[in-house]
Structures are given as structure tokens and as C-alpha cells.
């Protein structure tokens, strides 16, 4: 089972490049960053953690652009995977985003993983003209359109929310298939969406009953006729016990994601070193 690092980026503390470099030097497999384009002051959407319009952390209003953050890490790393946890693709233009992801994969030598969410903050989505009740459909079309641009010499797509005629778009990603993981609550609807359209699941910070949900995902995967097994990345909201970790690995969890604070670089690098030693990396 692999171990990844999530930096909830902000305009304070350690930079993404420094954090990614230290994570790689300490043996972590993946470096993740989040996305929020903005947070509307007046909102109706409840945060999944607080249950109302309040936010658990002011970093939601201060996050860096994820693709700029990951690009800054490209030249100071060589092996660690560069990922989002999670990005909100439907808040960008799909043709432009496909170019951004392909460019990052090209420059990093094929190290990009797209972790995407449907978007809990429906007020944020509304400012991007994304209907809350159609956001799963919008994301599906974005994914299909981007994959066409990544893999076809003359790409085109015709959908309800995305449509473009035959087009050229280079660079293509180095990877033949850019992995897509979905970060969302593990209900039946989400697990079925993953089995149909994605490569794996990222748990939410408030996720409960992980083991039966992993089993349900694998069943949905088999029902969809998918080969192999889905990726499962567990976001460790609190320090799990050794028994939890062993049970996750036995159930098929492929990576544990550990969070970093936006503290000064020296504090974060020291934490990474201690944590890697605890994990035996």
C-alpha cells in the first residue's frame, strides 16, 4: 500500500514545490493539492464537515490554482506523482483544461493523476453556470471530451454541455491513459459512477464504514465489466490505528493520503521526515 501527501495549499506557509520535493525525498508516492476557484460569501450549500454554511478552515478561501501549484513542482521532482484532491473540472473550460493537464503530464514525464469532485459547494458551481442537479452529467461530458482531446489525432465531441468539431490538440499526455479518481462520499450512486467512468475512489474526510464501501465499489466494478481492480485512496482525517491500516490494505486500499498544514517550510519538512520514519518509508 502506497502513501501520499495532501497539501491544502494557501498563500501562506510552505510552497507546493518545496512540499512536493520534501515528500519525494522522504519516499511518498503522490503529492496532492485541492481546488476552489472562489467561495461565495452568501451560500446555501452546507459544508459536508460542518453541516451548515460555515467553513472548517479559512484555506478554502485561499487555495492556490492546483495546476499552477503542481507545475511549480515539476522541475524540483522526478518520481513523485502529481495529483489533485480534489480538482473541480466543471469550473474550467474543458478544452483549456485538457490542454493544461496534457501539458503538465508532458512536462512531468507522465506523472499526473486527476482527482476530481462533483462539487459540494453548489453556490460556487452556480457562478460557473453549472446546474447543481446536473453536475455529474457535466463532469462525465468533460471527462469524455478531455479524453478525446488526449487520445485522438482529430478529436471531436458532441454533448449537452460540451461540443466541438474535429480539432487538433497537442501535446498529448505521456500516459496512454491519465488516471481519474473521484473524491466524493461513497454512496451507491457515486460508486456506480466511478465504476462506469473513472479509475478509482478517494474517500472524504468524514467517510465512515470504509471497508464495506470498498467491497461495494469492487462489486460495482465487476458489474460494469471492468477488468482489474479500482484504485482506492483513503484520506486519513485522523491518525488511523495499525489495525485500521492492515484492514484497509487487506480490503484493497491502494494508498493512504496524509494531510499537511500550511505551516512554515521548516516545520512541514520536519514533519514529513518524522512521518516517513513512522511509516517505514
Amino acid at each position: 500500500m502506497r502513501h501520499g501527501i495532501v497539501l491544502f495549499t494557501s498563500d501562506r506557509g510552505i510552497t507546493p514545490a518545496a512540499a512536493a520535493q520534501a515528500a519525494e525525498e522522504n519516499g511518498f508516492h503522490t503529492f496532492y493539492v485541492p481546488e476552489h476557484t472562489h467561495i461565495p460569501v452568501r451560500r446555501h450549500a452546507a459544508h459536508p464537515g460542518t453541516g451548515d454554511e460555515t467553513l472548517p478552515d479559512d484555506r478554502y478561501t485561499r487555495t492556490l490554482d492546483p495546476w499552477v501549484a503542481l507545475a511549480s513542482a515539476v522541475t524540483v521532482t522526478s518520481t513523485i506523482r502529481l495529483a489533485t484532491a480534489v480538482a473541480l473540472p466543471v469550473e474550467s473550460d474543458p478544452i483549456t483544461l485538457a490542454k493544461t493537464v496534457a501539458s503538465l503530464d508532458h512536462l512531468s514525464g507522465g506523472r499526473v493523476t486527476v482527482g476530481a469532485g462533483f462539487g459540494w459547494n453548489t453556490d460556487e458551481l452556480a457562478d460557473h453556470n453549472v446546474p447543481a442537479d446536473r453536475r455529474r452529467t457535466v463532469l462525465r461530458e468533460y471527462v469524455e471530451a478531455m479524453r478525446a482531446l488526449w487520445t485522438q489525432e482529430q478529436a471531436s465531441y458532441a454533448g449537452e454541455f460540451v461540443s466541438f468539431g474535429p480539432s487538433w490538440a497537442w501535446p498529448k499526455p505521456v500516459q496512454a491513459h491519465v488516471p481519474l479518481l473521484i473524491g466524493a462520499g461513497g454512496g451507491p450512486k457515486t460508486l456506480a459512477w466511478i465504476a462506469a467512468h473513472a479509475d478509482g475512489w478517494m474517500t472524504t474526510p468524514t467517510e465512515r464504514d470504509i471497508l464495506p464501501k470498498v467491497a461495494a465499489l469492487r462489486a460495482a466494478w465487476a458489474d460494469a465489466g471492468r477488468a482489474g481492480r479500482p484504485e482506492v485512496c483513503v484520506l486519513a482525517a485522523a491518525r488511523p490505528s495499525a489495525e485500521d491500516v492492515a484492514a484497509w490494505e487487506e480490503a484493497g486500499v491502494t494508498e493512504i493520503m496524509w494531510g499537511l498544514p500550511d505551516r512554515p517550510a521548516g516545520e512541514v519538512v520536519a514533519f514529513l521526515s518524522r512521518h516517513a520514519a513512522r511509516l517505514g518509508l
Side-chain angles (χ1 to χ4, degrees), residues 22-115:
E24 179 176 279
E25 290 173 350
N26 282 283
F28 290 94
H29 182 269
T30 313
F31 178 71
Y32 298 88
V33 296
E35 178 175 28
H36 281 285
T37 58
H38 69 301
I39 300 293
V41 173
R42 296 184 180 276
R43 300 188 316 282
H44 299 287
H47 184 275
T50 65
D52 57 30
E53 71 278 2
T54 60
L55 298 170
D57 195 310
D58 75 337
R59 288 178 295 183
Y60 282 86
T61 66
R62 310 180 74 97
T63 53
L64 305 183
D65 178 275
W67 308 110
V68 173
L70 294 177
S72 75
V74 167
T75 59
V76 297
T77 60
S78 59
T79 59
I80 197 167
R81 291 197 66 82
L82 304 174
T84 49
V86 291
L88 299 166
V90 301
E91 296 185 353
S92 297
D93 175 83
I95 300 172
T96 304
L97 182 58
K99 172 74 77 172
T100 298
V101 174
S103 298
L104 183 62
D105 200 64
H106 169 74
L107 293 171
S108 68
R111 292 189 279 141
V112 174
T113 295
V114 177

Side-chain angles (χ1 to χ4, degrees), residues 179-196:
L180 172 69
L181 308 179
I182 296 298
K189 186 176 180 179
T190 292
L191 300 182
W193 199 101
I194 292 169

Side-chain angles (χ1 to χ4, degrees), residues 130-151:
V130 177
D133 61 346
R134 305 296 308 284
R135 61 191 186 272
R136 291 171 183 257
T137 299
V138 180
L139 181 59
R140 175 182 56 77
E141 290 194 4
Y142 270 51
V143 169
E144 291 172 350
M146 290 192 297
R147 284 177 173 161
L149 289 162
W150 291 336
T151 60

Side-chain angles (χ1 to χ4, degrees), residues 1 238-250 256 258 278-279:
M1 187 165 54
R239 185 177 296 181
S241 67
E243 291 75 18
D244 288 333
V245 172
W248 292 345
E249 186 167 18
E250 177 68 22
I256 299 178
W258 306 91
R278 283 194 293 267
L279 297 172

Side-chain angles (χ1 to χ4, degrees), residues 134-255:
R134 305 296 308 284
R135 61 191 186 272
R136 291 171 183 257
T137 299
V138 180
L139 181 59
R140 175 182 56 77
E141 290 194 4
Y142 270 51
V143 169
E144 291 172 350
M146 290 192 297
R147 284 177 173 161
L149 289 162
W150 291 336
T151 60
Q152 298 173 16
E153 183 170 345
Q154 290 189 21
S156 61
Y157 188 81
E160 181 181 354
F161 297 96
V162 183
S163 182
F164 55 88
S167 304
W168 293 310
W170 276 274
K172 303 300 184 186
V174 172
Q175 300 175 97
H177 179 81
V178 176
L180 172 69
L181 308 179
I182 296 298
K189 186 176 180 179
T190 292
L191 300 182
W193 199 101
I194 292 169
H197 306 294
D199 301 296
W201 175 44
M202 293 178 176
T203 69
T204 66
T206 58
E207 205 72 49
R208 300 291 183 268
D209 301 321
I210 289 174
L211 297 183
K213 291 176 181 177
V214 173
L217 173 59
R218 291 172 64 173
W221 194 266
D223 290 344
R226 299 286 296 272
R229 293 183 176 183
E231 292 282 318
V232 179
C233 300
V234 171
L235 180 57
R239 185 177 296 181
S241 67
E243 291 75 18
D244 288 333
V245 172
W248 292 345
E249 186 167 18
E250 177 68 22
V253 171
T254 50
E255 184 163 282

